[in-house]
Amino acid sequence: MIKIGILGYGNLGRGVEAAIKQSPDMELTGVYTRRSPDSLKINTEGVAVRNASELEQKRDDIDVLVICGGSATDLPAMTPKYAKLYNVIDSFDTHARIPEHFANVDAAAKAGETVGIISCGWDPGMFSVNRLYSTSILPVGNAYTFWGKGVSQGHSDAVRRIEGVLDARQYTIPVEKALNSVRAGENPELTTREKHTRECFVVAEDGADLARIENEIKTMPNYFDEYDTTVHFISAEEMKRDHSGLPHGGSVIYSGQTSGGNNHVVEYSLNLDSNPEFTGAVLIAYARAAYKLSGEKSFGAKTVFDIAPAYLSPLSGDELRAHYL
Amino acid sequence: MIKIGILGYGNLGRGVEAAIKQSPDMELTGVYTRRSPDSLKINTEGVAVRNASELEQKRDDIDVLVICGGSATDLPAMTPKYAKLYNVIDSFDTHARIPEHFANVDAAAKAGETVGIISCGWDPGMFSVNRLYSTSILPVGNAYTFWGKGVSQGHSDAVRRIEGVLDARQYTIPVEKALNSVRAGENPELTTREKHTRECFVVAEDGADLARIENEIKTMPNYFDEYDTTVHFISAEEMKRDHSGLPHGGSVIYSGQTSGGNNHVVEYSLNLDSNPEFTGAVLIAYARAAYKLSGEKSFGAKTVFDIAPAYLSPLSGDELRAHYL
């Protein structure tokens, strides 16, 4: 059994926990938190909740530590720190800082003789893998990534920070016309506005200036100003009833031409009822890879690009060739 | 430059040749044929056409030999034979015989200190990779593979063997209702008949008994009897005008459940104007992997399951992490 520790028990940590329950070759041996362990009630019977400080001395009951922190400040510090002691995996998703994060984790993991898999999940993650396969197979062509329909937590948070907003949920929605053009192999050039729209559901304080809130959302730089955004004011009850899930998804569509003059469209799409549960499931499949790579002494930082698909499976090469090829 | 030889110059060999033209790190150094070399006119200027017998003595102008033969009798003999001397790659697609073929190529490649990648293309190949990723990430769920709309060469050949048939083209067509049910996460149980229909375009001899031909097609065991098949009799001119391409494609759809109770649908789909050109492009991307693996002395037989995505790209790890993750 591969012994898994989870550091951080938010939505993603619970998604990882859910995935371990479906993995016959894995067991959860502990959840680690920076909060008071007594304050956490987890979904797995008989598993200890411990303070993160207990990870500082190398523990024998962790083969792979799954680090479920935020990309802004948590993961840049935590993943290199724990890579010195444990095989680790994270979902670092600040694309521009991936090279720096990779270098830091690589140095720590090589020093600690561990494996550190970074930027795992679906984007970065499975979407990246599909972009790479397609561009490698069809070097002449265009890659398009569409997100949604789904909840963007970053955009929801941005709306919540506006004065007078009690709660908010933001859905990113791909534009059907753009999707259809790409799927038809038309290779369109698309602006930001032409690719996605944004839809916000907002619970406002009693007596708040709704027109001012709507205007602040629609003109918010980086988050909304380049998009067509619709805003709906709803009640707290409606929010709870209709918007408590965290669905997401999207498509990587590659439209490529071979030199014989033919066009080929390759699409990888996800339709996820729960973003954190799917992301957790991806992390757990790659945690298995980290464990196997560690056994082969293939130490250092890795990404999804560096890991052969067979490493994600509990099955042997013989079984995979006989039944999955 | 990676030096590529092509053995066999049918549709697939020409597809491989087309892919090499788009690969800046590769050059075609020779086309090898069992026919008379003089009878072949290839699409690359200045490249020699040689008899296959010239491969028997190890040649220095081949880093990877792409073997474009049939799975029934060619590849089981040719791939192990040439793996003793060259890094090789094939598109062996008789699923039931893959374990045996793998073992034969593995023994030859280990003896010859070469790399032999078998069963490469899109099914087996990219479809297999996607089946494996999805089942590894979501172990509880169902994988569905749909083929088409596209030309099945095996079925077209089967119709051509019927008495009175001059030419035939068979399209495999996925049933829209089944596709939609799978995409909706309904996890249906589907019979063969419910998944695909078959459509045949037939040029018959003058005076042939069309009713007899149609009946022979529709009742042909293994090929047609389990499907709803439609048959259209057309002229040779219509065949040439409307059915001279070799489009194909399909979808691998995985519908999985996480233990939190949520459903997730993952779809990988291909819409290919030219089946052999796309398959050739996949072979060439994996030929690059064979070359790299050979440089690392990772000898023996491999499949797409054993090869990390980065091996398919001419770019460095730094470039891939900076721009594709």
Side-chain angles (χ1 to χ4, degrees), chain B residues 71-209:
Chain B
S71 293
T73 54
D74 292 344
L75 297 177
M78 290 160 77
T79 310
K81 172 180 172 179
Y82 293 110
K84 289 179 190 149
L85 295 176
Y86 305 98
N87 299 312
V88 294
I89 180 163
D90 77 21
S91 61
F92 184 77
D93 67 358
T94 309
H95 290 259
R97 294 185 61 194
I98 284 174
E100 171 193 346
H101 188 54
F102 184 89
N104 292 340
V105 175
D106 194 49
K110 282 184 175 147
E113 300 201 328
T114 67
V115 174
I117 301 178
I118 66 157
S119 301
C120 197
W122 59 274
D123 196 4
M126 298 313 298
F127 273 18
S128 322
V129 162
N130 276 278
R131 283 187 287 259
L132 177 53
Y133 274 124
S134 291
T135 42
S136 299
I137 293 168
L138 299 170
V140 177
N142 296 302
Y144 297 85
T145 302
F146 291 91
W147 294 275
K149 185 179 175 176
V151 174
S152 164
Q153 304 205 53
H155 287 76
S156 299
D157 289 343
V159 175
R160 281 190 206 103
R161 286 191 293 264
I162 293 174
E163 197 190 322
V165 171
L166 291 174
D167 197 4
R169 204 74 83 251
Q170 193 270 187
Y171 294 90
T172 306
I173 304 168
V175 175
E176 201 69 26
K177 186 182 160 202
L179 271 173
N180 290 340
S181 172
V182 171
R183 284 179 180 144
E186 294 170 0
N187 288 287
E189 286 195 30
L190 298 166
T191 63
T192 299
R193 193 176 299 274
E194 287 168 332
K195 284 184 73 184
H196 297 93
T197 56
R198 299 194 178 279
E199 187 170 22
C200 301
F201 294 85
V202 178
V203 180
E205 286 175 8
D206 274 352
D209 180 347

Side-chain angles (χ1 to χ4, degrees), chain A residues 242-258:
Chain A
D242 302 334
H243 304 284
S244 58
L246 291 170
H248 217 317
S251 300
V252 170
I253 312 179
Y254 193 89
S255 178
Q257 296 80 46
T258 41

Side-chain angles (χ1 to χ4, degrees), chain B residues 29-51:
Chain B
T29 60
V31 169
Y32 298 83
T33 178
R34 289 172 293 181
R35 294 181 268 172
S36 160
D38 296 340
S39 69
L40 273 196
K41 171 89 184 77
I42 68 168
N43 295 324
T44 309
E45 293 255 337
V47 169
V49 179
R50 303 189 183 95
N51 191 278

Side-chain angles (χ1 to χ4, degrees), chain A residues 18 128 258-259 267 269 277 325, chain B residues 18 128 258-259 267 269 277 325:
Chain A
S128 321
T258 41
S259 69
E267 176 165 355
S269 65
E277 285 181 17
L325 204 63
Chain B
S128 322
T258 42
S259 69
E267 176 165 354
S269 66
E277 285 182 17
L325 203 63

